[in-house]
Amino acid sequence: MSPAERDSSPTKSRFLFLNKLDRINPVENLMQKIVSLAKRRGFIFQSSEIYGGIEAFWDYGPLGSLLKNNIKQEWLKTFVQKREDIVLIDTPIIMHPKTWEASGHLKNFTDPLVECKNCHGRFREDHLIKKECPNCGKKDFTPSKQFNLMFKTFLGPVEDDSHIAYLRPETAQSMFTDFNLAQESMRLKLPFGIAQIGRSFRNEITTGNFIFRSREFEQAEIEYFVKPGEDEKFFEEWVDNWENFILNLGIKKENLRRYEHKKEALSHYSKRTIDIEYKYPFGWAELTGIANRTNYDLSQHSKFSGKELVYFDEETKEKYTPFVIEPSLGIDRLLLALLCDAYQEIEGGRTETTKSAKETEIVLKLNKKIAPVKVAVLPLVKNKPELVKKAKEVYQLLKPHFICQYDEVGSIGRRYRRIDEIGCPFAITVDFETLEKGDVTLRNRDTMKQERVKVEELVKAIKEKLEEE
Ligand code: GAP
């Protein structure tokens, strides 16, 4: 089999990392449980699963899409809506090919690739443990060569070198190429930021660990332009801002740590980089990074385009190229960290049904702000038409205000359990008292407290509870 055939063969283990986890710990592995829950409850699916999957591409299912969207909304609220100094742009995945020459990605955005001479598996040399092949265990590799991670395509019908274009490997470059346009149109004064959320693409050599390292992923980035000389102060500020955003989404402090890149390992554009790492089930790994990109990118684009990308300081009458601080976040990595952090198993169960069956109950303690479904509406029993009718009315009442779920299948305990598993913070039970008194039971996922609330006050009560810290 040729290497190309091997890569596209459906028998190649798309679930390579799951198989590896099987070998490590078949039952207890948290990662395996998260992957299984994500599939079972509609968060994340293997992309193109019916064709055997496509390696390192993932589909967000109905609940995963809502969760991801909520994370992005929180990010926008924190950094664009609540601040006065950051504007948002939304730009194409394909940019002028000169962009990547100027940015240095064509030359420098590479990883060292080696091939195992025995099984012909290809790996990132710097990811090998004890220089051993992860497939066959042999230690005989071809010499390493630099492999560019950018995906190539052609613009228009002619497939020759003059029509090559690249899928962006970071969203950042548009913030540099649009620097003058954004600054002038919005009359921005330094310091200011240009933000973007969007897809990025990298033809990663080694993939795995679920959505941690994909070939298509989403980034939320800010290029924060500052006066030269003020960059170090703003760098420190942005590391704190970024970390606080993650903590405010509910990630436990003890599961985060900072890692400062060594001078010799910095990216070609960076003067200083700090990663914020998360303690994933497979170990500490980069969740996000903050870099001081100096004036490298604006200077390069000025040089390659012939257009001056500079700032005119009205007060001092000086013209200069700003420095830039770049906090850059992988939305998928954050989502994975949030799932891992929120996942809890309660041995013996906590709802009556699971307690009596001595089952283990899963609760996803997602922050209310990002939980995909905010309220579940449950009739106490299914075989009383008047209860079902009332529950459906309550559901329709809430639907314009919140993402809700209606569930009448199975015992009430089982239904509580199902909604706990997807991290739904509130559940409403419509019971016989509802028919008499017009109130319902409102149950809190975390405290398990139940209170009676009048139907007409439900929207207000839930809105207030969702706003509570
Ligand atoms: N503009 C700077 C930049 O792109 P990076 O450290 O290469 O820097 C930034 O990427 C963030 O993007 C990372 O911290 C990570 O969260 C996310 N990221 C990078 N490669 C990824 C991949 N293959 N899959 C998922 N997320 C990735």
Side-chain angles (χ1 to χ4, degrees):
M1 210 187 267
S2 73
E5 280 168 337
R6 231 183 2 259
D7 281 353
S8 59
S9 158
T11 56
K12 184 170 176 265
S13 180
R14 311 275 180 214
F15 293 102
L16 187 63
F17 100 95
L18 284 184
N19 296 345
K20 269 191 226 154
L21 292 180
D22 276 344
R23 286 203 299 271
I24 297 164
N25 190 338
V27 189
E28 289 304 318
N29 197 284
L30 174 61
M31 198 63 193
Q32 206 171 29
K33 289 174 178 172
I34 301 271
V35 175
S36 153
L37 176 76
K39 181 177 179 186
R40 191 160 42 81
R41 299 309 312 271
F43 283 90
I44 301 162
F45 309 131
Q46 175 94 49
S47 197
S48 313
E49 198 199 44
I50 59 166
Y51 292 107
I54 171 163
E55 199 175 351
F57 291 90
W58 298 94
D59 291 353
Y60 284 85
L63 295 191
S65 307
L66 290 170
L67 174 60
K68 195 178 186 199
N69 201 37
N70 291 345
I71 296 170
K72 291 194 279 184
Q73 289 308 320
E74 282 303 312
W75 188 85
L76 288 172
K77 205 191 273 176
T78 307
F79 296 111
V80 180
Q81 184 184 328
K82 288 189 182 170
R83 295 182 62 124
E84 290 170 10
D85 54 348
I86 299 181
V87 294
L88 183 71
I89 61 170
D90 183 354
T91 68
I93 280 156
I94 294 180
M95 299 180 69
H96 193 290
K98 267 233 178 283
T99 308
W100 308 110
E101 222 180 299
S103 70
H105 282 78
L106 264 181
K107 190 161 154 239
N108 299 312
F109 198 58
T110 56
D111 278 336
L113 170 73
V114 289
E115 184 170 328
C116 170
K117 287 188 179 168
N118 180 50
C119 71
H120 301 288
R122 289 182 214 146
F123 307 97
R124 243 178 90 165
E125 191 184 31
D126 54 334
H127 281 182
L128 293 176
I129 301 163
K130 292 190 199 151
K131 300 271 171 251
E132 200 177 276
C133 175
N135 276 355
C136 68
K138 292 272 173 5
K139 292 188 172 183
D140 196 8
F141 293 97
T142 57
S144 104
K145 58 179 182 197
Q146 290 302 319
F147 172 77
N148 196 296
L149 300 186
M150 285 196 292
F151 278 101
K152 263 188 211 166
T153 187
F154 297 96
L155 295 187
V158 184
E159 294 192 3
D160 65 14
D161 283 359
S162 63
H163 292 85
I164 289 179
Y166 301 90
L167 308 194
R168 67 181 178 198
E170 59 172 8
T171 66
Q173 291 305 319
S174 299
M175 278 83 107
F176 302 124
T177 55
D178 282 357
F179 175 81
N180 284 351
L181 297 168
Q183 192 267 324
E184 284 163 18
S185 61
M186 302 303 284
R187 284 179 280 130
L188 300 168
K189 296 221 178 324
L190 283 186
F192 69 84
I194 308 181
Q196 174 159 217
I197 297 184
R199 303 264 174 163
S200 292
F201 299 79
R202 295 183 189 178
N203 198 3
E204 299 281 1
I205 300 168
T206 329
T207 57
N209 285 330
F210 199 27
I211 54 172
F212 179 82
R213 195 182 302 284
S214 318
R215 291 192 167 121
E216 176 175 351
F217 53 97
E218 218 160 349
Q219 287 184 315
E221 298 194 293
I222 298 173
E223 304 307 319
Y224 197 78
F225 299 97
V226 303
K227 199 172 171 176
E230 295 186 349
D231 51 311
E232 286 173 21
K233 175 185 88 182
F234 279 110
F235 180 85
E236 302 288 346
E237 202 174 280
W238 273 103
V239 177
D240 289 342
N241 287 344
W242 221 231
E243 190 174 76
N244 285 337
F245 170 70
I246 296 165
L247 289 171
N248 284 337
L249 289 183
I251 297 263
K252 296 178 198 84
K253 205 172 171 55
E254 64 268 27
N255 289 339
L256 289 184
R257 71 177 187 193
R258 293 180 183 187
Y259 169 78
E260 170 128 21
H261 286 222
K262 301 217 164 52
K263 285 263 172 295
E264 60 278 15
L266 288 169
S267 302
H268 61 278
Y269 50 72
S270 178
K271 171 177 163 189
R272 190 175 174 203
T273 299
I274 288 183
D275 288 345
I276 298 175
E277 297 185 332
Y278 178 74
K279 196 178 182 185
Y280 290 98
F282 48 86
W284 287 99
E286 176 188 344
L287 161 57
T288 176
I290 300 95
N292 181 343
R293 288 181 85 130
T294 68
N295 58 7
Y296 173 83
D297 299 89
L298 287 180
S299 306
Q300 285 292 98
H301 287 302
S302 293
K303 196 164 113 194
F304 278 73
S305 68
K307 301 266 169 14
E308 257 195 337
L309 297 173
V310 289
Y311 180 78
F312 180 69
D313 193 324
E314 301 278 358
E315 277 168 30
T316 62
K317 307 291 175 211
E318 285 173 282
K319 202 162 80 168
Y320 50 80
T321 309
F323 269 44
V324 68
I325 306 303
E326 177 194 67
S328 171
L329 175 68
I331 295 288
D332 312 79
R333 284 193 188 178
L334 177 57
L335 190 144
L336 178 59
L338 286 162
L339 285 179
C340 296
D341 229 66
Y343 184 94
Q344 283 191 9
E345 282 182 359
I346 298 169
E347 297 284 339
R350 57 177 200 161
T351 51
E352 288 312 315
T353 341
T354 39
K355 260 195 224 157
S356 55
K358 294 209 170 9
E359 286 176 24
T360 300
E361 196 180 318
I362 296 169
V363 183
L364 212 50
K365 291 212 166 177
L366 287 172
N367 185 312
K368 290 174 286 191
K369 288 185 279 201
I370 55 164
V373 177
K374 306 290 188 215
V375 200
V377 181
L378 322 166
L380 185 64
V381 287
K382 185 182 159 185
N383 56 3
K384 293 281 177 239
E386 62 277 32
L387 268 195
V388 169
K389 183 167 171 270
K390 187 73 194 165
K392 284 188 177 163
E393 274 171 32
V394 172
Y395 174 59
Q396 291 304 333
L397 173 84
L398 299 181
K399 245 178 124 29
H401 304 277
F402 316 102
I403 298 276
C404 304
Q405 213 168 63
Y406 174 82
D407 190 358
E408 59 178 30
V409 180
S411 72
I412 191 76
R414 288 256 167 254
R415 283 180 276 154
Y416 278 144
R417 198 182 149 171
R418 272 206 293 272
I419 59 166
D420 284 348
E421 207 179 40
I422 60 165
C424 177
F426 299 108
I428 287 165
T429 312
V430 174
D431 53 22
F432 295 105
E433 254 184 82
T434 313
L435 300 178
E436 279 172 33
K437 299 188 187 156
D439 57 8
V440 294
T441 303
L442 182 61
R443 171 192 183 261
N444 180 310
R445 176 197 69 199
D446 297 334
T447 61
M448 298 278 283
K449 238 178 77 187
Q450 305 207 359
E451 57 184 299
R452 299 296 295 188
V453 180
K454 289 268 173 228
V455 171
E456 60 272 21
E457 285 163 18
L458 264 179
V459 171
K460 187 165 165 271
I462 296 169
K463 276 192 179 158
E464 280 171 9
K465 285 180 190 300
L466 284 170
E467 286 300 317
E468 277 168 16
E469 281 306 316

